[in-house]
Structure formats: structure tokens, C-alpha cells
Amino acid sequence: IPLSTPSPGGTLEGVRHCRKLGLGAMEVEFVHGVRMKDDLASTVGEESQRVGVSLSVHAPYFINLCSDEEGKLANSRRHILQSARAAHLLHASPVVFHPGFYQGRSKAECAKRAKKELKQVLDEMGQAGWTDVVLGPELTGKKSAYGDLDEILELARHFGIKAVQPVVDFGHYHARLSRLKTQDDFAKILDKAESV
């Protein structure tokens, strides 16, 4: 929600204020949990379409699709599904999320686990009829986190761009690798994403 949104603010006023500022998109942050009521989500979604502001959703930070613990995996799936449900009501896409942490596991093992968990999430989304919502694994800024450029591109390639869309956060990329110095550095990332 833009800081300049008039008081009392909130997501609905934030969407309207984005349009006044000349912005065409806004991320609805559920980073500490999905707490928006269904009727408000529907109202915000209708208003965003009316004023021409595209919405995306950021899922809670508590997701780890690489965990060894079934309880953490179940909670991770639940957080993504709650975010996808809200996104469906908001007419928002993608649902951006941080995929997880290596925690001593190999890249291949994390990829296998993440694909297994995301398949279950996508199956449940399909059963619920939320096919208008795409999942967006975000490029992560920590080297300890599963989610480098190749990993999020592989998730999109594996599931298809209509189900999983990589979210390239250039600030996170630079924090992870310190390699964004020229226009060509950005172009290489975009070219690689486009090729996948």
C-alpha cells in the first residue's frame, strides 16, 4: 500500500491511490499470514479491475518446500493455498513465494522436494477452480535459500508457464551474486528467462 495513501488507508484505498499515482500494479502482501476476509478480497479485486491496477499476492514468509518435517511441508502447502484462494478472489496473479532453504541438502534434492510439494498444491488449486492464479517462485537473495535463477526457471519449465511463473527479483539476484553492474547484466537474465 503506497505510504501516501490517505488515512485510514487499507488495501482498497491503496489500489485506488496506485491509480492516482499513475501506477498500474500493486502487490498485496500476506507475508505474515493471509488475514483478509473474503468479502473485502472480492471488493478489492473488483475495484482493481475497474481502475486498471493489476494485483499480485506475496505469500507468507514461513514457506519451506525443502523441509524434512511433514508438519512444515503441510504448513507450507497451506500458506500457498490460502494465498492462492485470496488471489483468486482478488483477481490477482501470480502468488509470489520464497521456495525454501537447502539446510544441508543438495540442489537436486531440494528441486525434487519442491516439485513434489508444488504438484500437490497445483492439484488442489485445480480442484478448487483457481486456475486463474499462477504460482510465482521468487528468486531469493540468500545463498542458503533454494531459489536461484536456474532453480526458479526449472520450476517454470517443469510445470509450464501457465501454472508456475518465475519471479525475478533483481535486488535479490544482486544480493546473492553481486553481479548487476551493467545493462547487459540485466539483459542476460531476461534472455535466459525468455529462452526457458
Side-chain angles (χ1 to χ4, degrees), residues 160-175:
I161 199 75
K162 291 185 179 178
V164 175
Q165 185 179 91
V167 176
V168 177
D169 184 311
F170 291 103
H172 287 176
Y173 182 93
H174 186 71

Side-chain angles (χ1 to χ4, degrees), residues 137 151-161 164-166 196:
E151 289 162 339
I152 64 169
L153 291 176
E154 169 55 21
L155 290 174
R157 188 208 59 75
H158 179 78
F159 289 104
I161 199 75
V164 175
Q165 185 179 91
V196 172

Side-chain angles (χ1 to χ4, degrees), residues 23-45:
L23 301 173
M26 185 176 110
E27 180 178 80
V28 180
E29 294 186 349
F30 295 128
V31 294
H32 297 295
V34 181
R35 297 186 180 97
M36 183 178 283
K37 295 195 182 308
D38 289 356
D39 57 343
L40 177 58
S42 295
T43 300
V44 170

Side-chain angles (χ1 to χ4, degrees), residues 23-171:
L23 301 173
M26 185 176 110
E27 180 178 80
V28 180
E29 294 186 349
F30 295 128
V31 294
H32 297 295
V34 181
R35 297 186 180 97
M36 183 178 283
K37 295 195 182 308
D38 289 356
D39 57 343
L40 177 58
S42 295
T43 300
V44 170
E46 290 168 11
E47 185 67 0
S48 71
Q49 290 187 318
R50 187 186 75 76
V51 300
V53 173
S54 296
L55 298 179
S56 62
V57 161
H58 199 301
Y61 289 138
F62 321 120
I63 292 165
N64 185 1
L65 300 175
C66 304
S67 179
D68 286 328
E69 300 173 44
E70 180 50 43
K72 288 186 180 177
L73 292 172
N75 281 335
S76 296
R77 292 190 305 268
R78 181 176 53 82
H79 288 308
I80 296 172
L81 286 166
Q82 287 175 340
S83 300
R85 182 178 189 281
H88 174 70
L89 294 170
L90 286 161
H91 304 291
S93 191
V95 171
V96 179
F97 65 95
H98 303 166
F101 293 90
Y102 298 119
Q103 296 176 309
R105 287 177 287 278
S106 69
K107 287 176 170 273
E109 178 61 23
C110 283
K112 182 178 175 183
R113 289 176 187 219
K115 287 174 183 175
K116 178 180 177 278
E117 297 305 313
L118 287 178
K119 168 130 183 22
Q120 190 170 336
V121 168
L122 288 166
D123 287 348
E124 289 188 45
M125 288 171 59
Q127 291 167 10
W130 307 331
T131 55
D132 55 332
V133 178
V134 174
L135 298 182
E138 183 175 17
L139 195 152
T140 53
K142 296 179 180 176
K143 290 184 179 181
S144 62
Y146 170 73
D148 67 16
L149 181 61
D150 290 329
E151 289 162 339
I152 64 169
L153 291 176
E154 169 55 21
L155 290 174
R157 188 208 59 75
H158 179 78
F159 289 104
I161 199 75
K162 291 185 179 178
V164 175
Q165 185 179 91
V167 176
V168 177
D169 184 311
F170 291 103

